[in-house]
């Protein structure tokens, strides 16, 4: 591990960036280092969490390491083959946790990690995650992506103390999960682009050093992408470290901007519809890769425009929020209520706020175009990356009706309090004209 990646002293943005992640290790046989971390935290009894998919991978080996270290074990294995990140799962874990456990150890990836971060935060105990797949960028984040009351939410939780990425374990992950991890990294093209655009339009905080580090990690992933199909160690290590460092970047920035943008919100909309209507969903990173491809194509349409202030102002004046609420409820289901409530606090549709934004957009259009050109690959270049790993490109390929893409895009502007591509399209008055 390069410890310099976990802290940024004297950053040009004026902030001192630190991470609550104590250590991460990515190498073959990394699990064997578990005893040294148990000693570091003075562990005497572990609350060990896995599920029926992950326990067979290394559960017995992990328990043998606990025994050899003289550390007791309270083990809970979720019985579900498809574990949901919701209140029931968190409750099931919390009810099995006992106060005599002084360390939490998880064997898994996205959902297991998100649940155990909550247990760690509530209990105040140190937490070690032994990763089973390089599938998403939430390993090192201090939040958990959960479904609460049918709505996808990001709960403030706790970053793990240690992340163990044993390449011998990661190589056993289904290839689809490794592709998902790269897909989550590819989303960083759009996230950094939109972070810079929002900084320009809204004065949102932006850190060039954090952004640079994400770009470096992303390039390393793309340069090694073809190796994923062969489960090449260098490719897996590049993706997994990129995912870890993306989580660190979010903690450094104090927000999710370095790692997610409109492409994540397209994925969130599909997830929310899945919760509400039982429609098909895929792995988060796979959806993000598809969403990134659509976002790049939309940005290519935006680049051909010349901002028209009068058109934007007329579109905003004619916007009927009451009608839009009805559309959201019909399209999203119960999850729409939280999206609608966000507008009460944010007031993004306020005419004065919009007028200020459209003026800023028009005055800085050339700079916006420059940012897009600097940050985003062409759609052809992006397709070549997806082709290199034989990844899906379209919504139809992952079982999502392409007919809902326009409404998915429009809904994405209401997911979070974040300025993304769909909001830019709405401000310009062209959101109804976007083609997919």
């Amino acid at each position: 591990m390069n410890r310099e990646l976990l802290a940024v002293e004297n950053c040009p943005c004026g902030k001192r960036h630190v991470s609550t992640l104590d250590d991460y290790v990515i190498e073959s046989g990394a699990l064997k280092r578990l005893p040294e971390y148990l000693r570091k935290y003075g562990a005497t009894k572990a609350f060990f969490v896995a599920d029926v998919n992950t326990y067979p991978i290394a559960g017995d080996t992990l328990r043998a390491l606990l025994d050899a270290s003289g550390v007791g074990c309270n083990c809970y294995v979720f019985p579900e083959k498809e574990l949901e990140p919701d209140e029931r799962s968190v409750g099931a874990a919390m009810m099995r946790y006992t106060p005599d456990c002084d360390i939490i150890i998880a064997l898994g990836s996205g959902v297991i990690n998100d649940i155990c971060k909550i247990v760690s935060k509530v209990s105040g105990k140190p937490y070690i995650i032994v990763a089973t797949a390089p599938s998403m960028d939430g390993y090192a984040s201090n939040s958990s992506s959960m479904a609460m009351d049918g709505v996808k939410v990001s709960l403030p939780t706790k970053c793990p103390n240690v992340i163990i990425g044993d390449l011998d374990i990661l190589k056993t992950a289904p290839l689809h999960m490794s592709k998902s991890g790269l897909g989550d990294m590819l989303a960083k093209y759009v996230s950094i682009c939109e972070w810079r655009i929002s900084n320009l339009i809204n004065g949102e905080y932006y850190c060039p050093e954090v952004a640079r580090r994400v770009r470096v990690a992303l390039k390393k992933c793309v340069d090694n992408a073809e190796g994923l199909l062969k489960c090449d160690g260098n490719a897996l290590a590049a993706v997994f470290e990129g995912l870890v460092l993306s989580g660190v970047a979010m903690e450094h920035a104090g927000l999710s901007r370095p790692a997610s943008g409109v492409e994540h919100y397209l994925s969130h909309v599909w997830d929310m519809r899945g919760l509400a209507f039982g429609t098909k969903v895929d792995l988060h990173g796979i959806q993000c890769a598809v969403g990134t491809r659509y976002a790049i194509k939309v940005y290519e349409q935006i680049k051909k425009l010349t901002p028209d202030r009068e058109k934007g102002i007329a579109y905003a004046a004619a916007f009927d929020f009451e009608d839009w609420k009805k559309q959201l409820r019909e399209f999203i289901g119960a999850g729409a209520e939280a999206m609608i409530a966000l507008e009460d606090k944010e007031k993004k549709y306020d005419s004065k706020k919009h007028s200020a934004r459209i003026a800023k957009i028009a005055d800085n259009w050339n700079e916006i175009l420059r940012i897009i050109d600097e940050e985003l690959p062409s759609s052809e270049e992006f397709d070549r990356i997806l082709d290199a790993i034989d990844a899906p490109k379209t919504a139809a390929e992952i079982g999502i009706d392409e007919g809902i893409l326009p409404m998915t895009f429009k809904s994405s502007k209401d997911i979070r309090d974040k300025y993304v591509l769909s909001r830019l399209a709405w401000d310009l008055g062209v959101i109804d004209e976007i083609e997919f």
Side-chain angles (χ1 to χ4, degrees):
M1 182 198 75
N2 183 354
R3 290 190 176 276
E4 292 181 359
L5 296 175
L6 298 185
V8 184
E9 302 288 349
N10 303 314
C11 185
C13 78
K15 290 188 177 182
R16 178 176 178 268
H17 303 298
V18 295
S19 174
T20 51
L21 177 65
D22 293 332
D23 201 359
Y24 71 92
V25 55
I26 306 170
E27 60 189 24
S28 294
L31 182 56
K32 294 178 182 178
R33 294 185 58 182
L34 179 62
E36 73 178 74
Y37 295 118
L38 296 173
R39 291 191 296 271
K40 176 179 178 179
Y41 296 106
T44 60
K45 185 175 182 180
F47 180 47
F48 172 33
V49 181
D51 65 24
V52 291
N53 301 307
T54 65
Y55 188 91
I57 297 171
D60 289 341
T61 301
L62 198 154
R63 294 193 71 169
L65 288 169
L66 291 173
D67 288 342
S69 301
V71 175
C73 182
N74 171 11
C75 180
Y76 177 58
V77 179
F78 281 99
E80 297 89 347
K81 284 188 173 295
E82 295 186 10
L83 184 61
E84 293 295 333
D86 56 19
E87 301 96 329
R88 194 212 67 80
S89 298
V90 173
M94 288 302 306
M95 290 177 70
R96 271 81 177 183
Y97 170 80
T98 54
D100 58 336
C101 293
D102 49 19
I103 195 165
I104 297 157
I105 300 174
L107 178 64
S109 56
V111 178
I112 289 286
N113 185 51
D114 281 336
I115 291 170
C116 288
K117 283 193 284 188
I118 295 174
V119 177
S120 177
K121 181 177 175 64
V122 172
S123 67
K125 304 302 182 184
Y127 167 44
I128 298 173
I129 173 72
V130 178
T132 54
S135 54
M136 50 84 224
D137 67 4
Y139 280 112
S141 73
N142 56 2
S143 64
S144 291
S145 181
M146 306 296 291
M148 186 168 67
D149 296 328
V151 182
K152 291 290 290 187
V153 298
S154 183
L155 297 178
T157 53
K158 177 183 178 297
C159 175
N161 295 83
V162 177
I163 299 171
I164 296 178
D166 189 324
L167 294 177
D168 297 328
I169 294 175
L170 296 178
K171 285 179 180 179
T172 69
L175 184 57
H176 197 59
M177 295 187 79
S178 298
K179 292 179 183 181
S180 176
L182 180 58
D184 210 345
M185 285 303 300
L186 294 176
K188 284 39 172 175
Y189 282 123
V190 174
S191 65
I192 297 298
C193 178
E194 291 182 340
W195 196 11
R196 291 180 64 187
I197 290 174
S198 184
N199 170 255
L200 185 65
I201 296 173
N202 303 303
E204 180 182 341
Y205 162 75
Y206 168 74
C207 176
E209 176 58 20
V210 170
R212 184 192 68 79
R213 292 177 176 220
V214 172
R215 290 190 200 98
V216 170
L218 171 57
K219 184 179 186 303
K220 189 175 180 181
C221 290
V222 172
D223 288 346
N224 288 276
E226 290 187 14
L228 277 187
L229 293 179
K230 305 172 185 176
C231 290
D232 175 73
N234 290 332
L236 288 169
V239 171
F240 190 74
E241 183 169 45
L243 295 170
V244 170
L245 295 179
S246 293
V248 171
M250 286 188 274
E251 190 173 16
H252 281 173
L255 67 173
S256 64
R257 271 295 188 189
S260 70
V262 71
E263 76 298 319
H264 271 63
Y265 293 173
L266 301 180
S267 177
H268 288 339
V269 169
W270 295 331
D271 286 344
M272 292 169 72
R273 283 178 53 80
L275 287 169
F277 309 120
T279 51
K280 187 173 175 59
V281 295
D282 208 313
L283 293 178
H284 169 73
I286 296 293
Q287 293 185 167
C288 285
V290 172
T292 299
R293 182 174 182 269
Y294 286 126
I296 289 171
K297 286 182 172 293
V298 174
Y299 271 111
E300 289 176 340
Q301 295 177 53
I302 293 291
K303 284 171 59 179
K304 297 176 182 178
L305 301 175
T306 299
D308 184 333
R309 297 190 194 200
E310 291 184 4
K311 179 178 181 176
I313 289 173
Y315 183 87
F319 181 73
D320 186 339
F321 185 53
E322 291 303 314
D323 179 64
W324 177 239
K325 287 193 288 188
K326 293 178 183 177
Q327 293 184 55
L328 275 180
R329 289 181 174 120
E330 181 178 333
F331 185 66
I332 300 292
E337 299 308 320
M339 298 164 67
I340 292 167
L342 179 63
E343 177 60 16
D344 291 336
K345 296 187 294 183
E346 190 182 358
K347 306 295 183 186
K348 61 181 172 294
Y349 298 127
D350 178 82
S351 60
K352 290 183 179 179
K353 288 188 174 183
H354 171 260
S355 294
R357 290 196 305 270
I358 191 66
K360 198 81 170 180
I361 291 167
D363 290 343
N364 293 276
W365 189 245
N366 287 337
E367 178 64 12
I368 290 171
L369 295 179
R370 186 177 71 83
I371 291 170
I372 295 171
D373 285 337
E374 287 180 353
E375 299 294 348
L376 300 183
S378 68
S379 54
E380 293 79 13
E381 290 170 332
F382 192 76
D383 279 354
R384 284 195 288 271
I385 299 172
L386 296 182
D387 286 339
I389 60 168
D390 192 26
K393 297 177 183 176
T394 67
E397 289 179 73
I398 57 175
I400 295 171
D401 179 8
E402 291 190 328
I404 70 168
L405 290 176
M407 190 61 185
T408 298
F409 183 67
K410 293 176 189 178
S411 302
S412 68
K413 63 182 166 39
D414 295 87
I415 291 281
R416 298 277 192 277
D417 181 6
K418 187 187 291 186
Y419 197 81
V420 294
L421 172 59
S422 47
R423 294 197 180 190
L424 175 62
W426 188 89
D427 280 347
L428 290 167
V430 301
I431 196 167
D432 296 329
E433 302 168 19
I434 299 299
E435 298 180 355
F436 292 92

